[in-house]
Amino acid sequence: MPARLSRRDFLKCSVVAGISVYIAAPGSAALAALFEKQRLRPLPWDPARGRVRYRTDATAKVSGEKIFSYDMRSRDLPGWPREQAHAMLLRGTHADRIYQGFDLSSLPADLQPDRVVTAADLARDGVAFPKFYGEDMLLPEGKIPAYLGHAVALLIWNDFARFRAAKSRLKFRDGLIRWGEPTGPLERAPWATFRYVRVGGADAFADDTYSSYKDTVLFPIGYKKQNPQWALGDAGGKIDAQGIARGDAMAAELDAPGADKLVIEREYFSQSIDTAAMELDNANGWFDAATATMHLVCATQSPGEIAQDAPLMLAASRFGVKRLVLHPCYTVGYGSKDHYPFPFIALMAALYGDGRPVRLANDRYEQFQSSLKRHSFRMHYRLKLDRGSGRFEVFQARMLGDGGGRMNFSPSVCLVAATAAQSIYYFPRSDLSSTVIASRALDAGSARGYGTLQSMGATEMLIDEIASELKLDPIELRLRNVFATGMKNTQGAIPGGAQRADEVLRKSREHPLWTQRHKRKAEYEAAHPGQRYGVGFGCVQKDFGTGGEAAFAEVAISAQGEVLLRHIGVEMGTGMATSQAAVCAKWLGRPADEVRTGETQWPELPMIATDDPWLMSQATQDSHIGNPRWTPAYASPSSASNSAYFFSHATREASRLLFTQGLWPAALAIWGQGFGGGELSPLAVRREDARWVEGKLTAGGLTALPLQRLIAKAYELGLATGAVVHYLNRWQWSEAEFPLTGEDARLPLDGVALRWGDGSGKGIGTPTANGYRMIERTRVHYPPVQRNNAGVVYYSAIGTLAEVAVDTATGKVELLDHHSVLECGTPIVAELVSSQLQGGLAMGIGHALHEFLPLYEGGPGDGDWNFNRYTLPRARDVAVWRQSGELLPPISETDPPKGMAEVAMIPIVPAIVNAIAHATGHRFRELPVTPDKILAAYAAADIDAGQSVAANRQESAA
């Protein structure tokens, strides 16, 4: 990006806190020579089969050309100075004593940093984190760190050689930071507690007696030693007291269940892990004081957050920043780069570069010491069921997560863990609560699985234990209690569409791994002395989305016939750019030729959001809906498996409008040419008859028209040649009425802008920018804010079978094979679904068997963790040549695609643990299941290999 913005660029900027914000998305001309524009290829589209042959970035990926922000230096960036400064953070390795400063005397004079920044500098200059991240970007002297690894100072060197040499000397050096006497860690209240109580009606489909969706979510009145304290229950009192009374009644029933009932009580633990994204946290920032412009290249899943919060942070400082130029880049994050603090720390570093760009980039030790972690959870479950039928009756869960030293997304993870605990099962009554504490651990945030991996994995282990107690086939027990279409979840909401977990279960039950498991066990163990064979199963359904989903998308056609797609979504290696381009094909006959991701500037459709979509009151929402430019939420980050279903909705609706308001009337005009109305006149043709055949449009026997001819006609007649749309989804699509004809008069959108012809002439709507006109809605229908209490309503289901062998001498678990059955609607690009499934399974295998981080002292906060201590699964650990998977066919071709990137990693975890139980006769409830735990279990139970075999054979016979 040039150092000085052109007038046109400036006019395209938005203004936040008095700072103009210009976002140079990866597809923009500003970085064309460095990012995707030179490396992406138009999708290799097979029009005969309507399929993508390979992803748009395939060549760049396999040839190593794909550029991430980690690769960028100032000399690579047009208009930036060539001199690149480099920075590192000093981090404390204690969180139980007072910080008293640092000592750089171990560095010789020629290696001393050119600039040292401390908390005192930040306080003097008015530099601080956005509110979301809390206090103390750098820890002031005299305070106890909030967490292990708390940054205390920023050190900047003006050249790489000295930086590299100094950093090597400072690493792992005792005495670098001065500490006072131990005081103990900070004591703080938990980050959040949520409790969901539901009492169903006469049957699974009757109105609820009580639920969080119908009534209220429950919150504690306070905390005692981080334990939530609840108000007194009162069946006839206030609405929350009624819920507590019903929870108390369930607890009493679990304490005294009756002779024909069974109550199973178990406790499970899911560990803290590192997301291990291969692109480390990094950014490169340059503050050009001469033009008062801050430039930032960074990896992020949330460019909208940076565009909104960075100007607020910069405006509060004394540096007089007037402009922000942001370059969000391709990244890989698994959630760990969603609302994470690193970009704001990098902005701080850039402010102190004295005119030089400052690169702040973690090495792997620093990444372990500072990146967002998965929340560890301890889960205490009690489940009551009928012994005779195996039907579940009451489910109670008490979960305790560790959120670490900064709040981040802990409240949201806390909520999701509770709402997900039911997994694929229907519970007539339930009382589920979750608390996430504040601690001295590294801050935990967004990570693939997001609380559901922990709670649902435990549920699946519990179900297998119940099946063993009842001497029932584990899949049969699941089928007796599976969640069916029209039933209510534990919040009291009815999920959208057909619920198909029962089909997943039946397909899994028919697989040879399951039907032949007892025979295979006998054969394998006979052929492999000292090895114990087992097969396990897990089946879950996970929500996708957040309940506050919002997105913009533009689909436009140029006069030369090219199709452009712009989107807020960020490409994170998932193939989002490929899949969104492919979504256009349904309405335009081929995918988008050019895809621009990570876009945050939408002057063509100037919507505004003023309040938190999850916390606003109904009165607040009602007060705004008269403003056609207002929306409850502006734009979502790329997270929560939201691209396939939610992001595609924007792409699809923009493409559809381009068709209905542009290409279809253009086609009718062409077909109607000639005396008496041409070839169209004798026929009765409706829009639903339209079909694209090998890139040409036809309907009801009419001449097939190539896209280029349709585009030329649309430009000639001043029809729609571009569409920008915005939606809001709060577990239900918003809808609005627009001054358009036919089906377009009411759309599942809350904002629309169209470009008519080349944009220079007249058309419907209010002129905005780039030739577009906003089609202001006349009425809007937003889901009520009470809908937030639904928790989740969109699910994808998956079942996974795992085949393992356990070495009785070493305790090592070998994953021999695994098979998954995934229900994900209609896949956009089946090959991308397959890759997400394989990658998710590998992450789940790591969670079940390999990956572990101590939370406190001895953990990553010490700064000495790397892959020599942290074990990721390798190809040999994931049955790479044996694994298989299948997709449940959609009910029809109109089924929407479902988000499945997170759910794919979950069921393999309980499947492996249940397989180990089948192999060894011992049930493990603490993850990961490592060889030492298996050997310890053998030793504690004093069971030799022969006893284990006998026990398993008895269970199999039963």
Side-chain angles (χ1 to χ4, degrees), residues 677-826:
E679 65 175 293
L680 178 62
S681 181
L683 303 178
V685 177
R686 295 181 174 87
R687 194 169 66 193
E688 56 264 32
D689 299 325
R691 297 292 185 275
W692 289 98
V693 180
E694 297 193 12
K696 297 179 180 180
L697 183 69
T698 183
L702 292 162
T703 301
L705 303 174
L707 179 61
Q708 181 60 63
R709 187 176 177 190
L710 295 170
I711 292 173
K713 197 66 173 178
Y715 270 87
E716 175 191 335
L717 298 179
L719 302 172
T721 59
V724 178
V725 303
H726 183 271
Y727 67 73
L728 180 282
N729 182 291
R730 185 187 283 128
W731 305 124
Q732 179 181 335
W733 294 108
S734 59
E735 293 187 347
E737 297 170 20
F738 298 92
L740 297 170
T741 58
E743 294 180 7
D744 295 342
R746 180 161 174 153
L747 296 169
L749 301 166
D750 66 348
V752 169
L754 297 174
R755 186 184 69 204
W756 306 100
D758 63 5
S760 63
K762 294 182 179 180
I764 300 172
T766 304
T768 52
N770 300 319
Y772 276 86
R773 291 172 174 267
M774 183 172 181
I775 314 299
E776 295 190 351
R777 67 200 185 208
T778 56
R779 182 177 296 180
V780 68
H781 309 273
Y782 284 120
V785 299
Q786 181 75 6
R787 189 76 175 165
N788 284 321
N789 290 354
V792 295
V793 296
Y794 301 109
Y795 292 108
S796 293
I798 181 174
T800 298
L801 293 157
E803 179 187 44
V804 306
V806 180
D807 190 307
T808 57
T810 65
K812 186 180 186 313
V813 177
E814 181 183 2
L815 184 60
L816 303 173
D817 195 2
H818 52 89
H819 178 78
S820 296
V821 180
L822 173 64
E823 186 268 315
C824 63
T826 302

Side-chain angles (χ1 to χ4, degrees), residues 136 297 463 601:
D136 297 336
V297 174
I463 300 308
Q601 300 299 297

Side-chain angles (χ1 to χ4, degrees), residues 128-137 191 305 309-310 312-313 344 406-408 615:
F129 267 140
K131 184 179 180 181
F132 179 81
Y133 299 100
E135 301 177 343
D136 297 336
M137 183 182 290
W191 296 127
E305 182 212 16
D309 287 351
L312 299 174
M313 168 185 163
F344 301 99
R406 292 192 184 276
M407 183 172 68
N408 205 280
L615 300 178

Side-chain angles (χ1 to χ4, degrees), residues 224-488:
K224 186 175 182 180
K225 294 185 177 180
Q226 295 199 327
N227 293 312
Q229 305 297 300
W230 303 98
L232 292 176
D234 183 352
K238 294 181 179 180
I239 198 71
D240 55 343
Q242 292 179 32
I244 292 168
R246 296 184 188 282
D248 293 343
M250 282 183 250
E253 193 174 327
L254 290 164
D255 291 338
D260 58 342
K261 307 296 181 183
L262 172 66
V263 172
I264 295 285
E265 182 172 1
R266 296 290 186 269
E267 186 169 284
Y268 300 91
F269 175 75
S270 180
Q271 76 280 23
S272 169
I273 63 103
D274 192 272
T275 57
M278 291 297 103
E279 187 190 19
L280 308 164
D281 293 350
N282 71 94
N284 203 342
W286 170 41
F287 177 50
D288 179 7
T291 62
T293 302
M294 173 65 77
H295 303 259
L296 183 70
V297 174
C298 66
T300 177
Q301 293 175 231
S302 315
E305 182 212 16
I306 301 174
Q308 181 63 37
D309 287 351
L312 299 174
M313 168 185 163
L314 296 170
S317 76
R318 69 160 180 84
F319 289 90
V321 180
K322 297 299 182 186
R323 283 171 288 278
L324 170 65
V325 181
L326 174 65
H327 306 281
C329 304
Y330 267 23
T331 189
V332 179
Y334 310 118
S336 66
K337 292 184 176 66
D338 180 15
H339 290 277
Y340 74 132
F342 200 92
F344 301 99
I345 298 172
L347 284 170
M348 176 268 288
L351 289 172
Y352 295 95
D354 294 329
R356 292 178 177 82
V358 179
R359 181 174 184 263
L360 182 65
N362 283 347
D363 61 25
R364 188 55 67 176
Y365 290 103
E366 292 166 324
Q367 185 74 3
F368 271 104
Q369 192 180 22
S370 63
S371 66
L372 295 178
K373 302 296 182 274
R374 182 187 303 288
H375 290 74
S376 71
F377 263 90
R378 190 163 294 278
M379 294 145 288
H380 189 100
Y381 288 173
R382 291 204 292 172
L383 198 158
K384 178 193 170 201
L385 65 149
D386 181 77
R387 286 183 179 272
S389 66
R391 300 282 187 182
F392 300 157
E393 295 182 355
V394 177
F395 183 33
Q396 181 194 74
R398 299 291 180 259
M399 306 175 216
L400 185 66
D402 195 311
R406 292 192 184 276
M407 183 172 68
N408 205 280
F409 271 155
S410 284
S412 178
V413 171
C414 178
L415 179 157
V416 172
T419 59
Q422 75 176 100
S423 189
I424 61 167
Y425 308 105
Y426 175 72
F427 295 100
R429 288 168 290 159
S430 54
D431 179 5
L432 313 176
S433 72
S434 176
T435 297
V436 172
I437 64 169
S439 78
R440 65 188 185 280
L442 276 69
D443 45 322
S446 178
R448 193 178 197 175
Y450 206 85
T452 66
L453 171 75
Q454 298 91 320
S455 62
M456 284 196 292
T459 301
E460 282 301 284
M461 296 178 213
L462 178 69
I463 300 308
D464 257 45
E465 294 205 46
I466 294 171
S468 178
E469 179 76 18
L470 297 178
K471 297 181 172 53
L472 268 179
D473 179 286
I475 295 183
E476 172 60 28
L477 177 63
R478 288 171 167 86
L479 280 166
R480 294 186 187 186
N481 293 280
V482 70
F483 193 99
T485 304
M487 290 180 172
K488 301 180 189 67

Side-chain angles (χ1 to χ4, degrees), residues 195-203 206-219 230 232-250 426-432 488-493 786 789:
R195 184 174 176 184
Y196 296 86
V197 171
R198 176 178 175 266
V199 177
D203 59 46
D207 289 345
D208 284 346
T209 302
Y210 186 95
S211 73
S212 55
Y213 181 28
K214 183 172 75 74
D215 298 295
T216 185
V217 180
L218 302 178
F219 299 98
W230 303 98
L232 292 176
D234 183 352
K238 294 181 179 180
I239 198 71
D240 55 343
Q242 292 179 32
I244 292 168
R246 296 184 188 282
D248 293 343
M250 282 183 250
Y426 175 72
F427 295 100
R429 288 168 290 159
S430 54
D431 179 5
L432 313 176
K488 301 180 189 67
N489 62 22
T490 50
Q491 300 80 254
Q786 181 75 6
N789 290 354

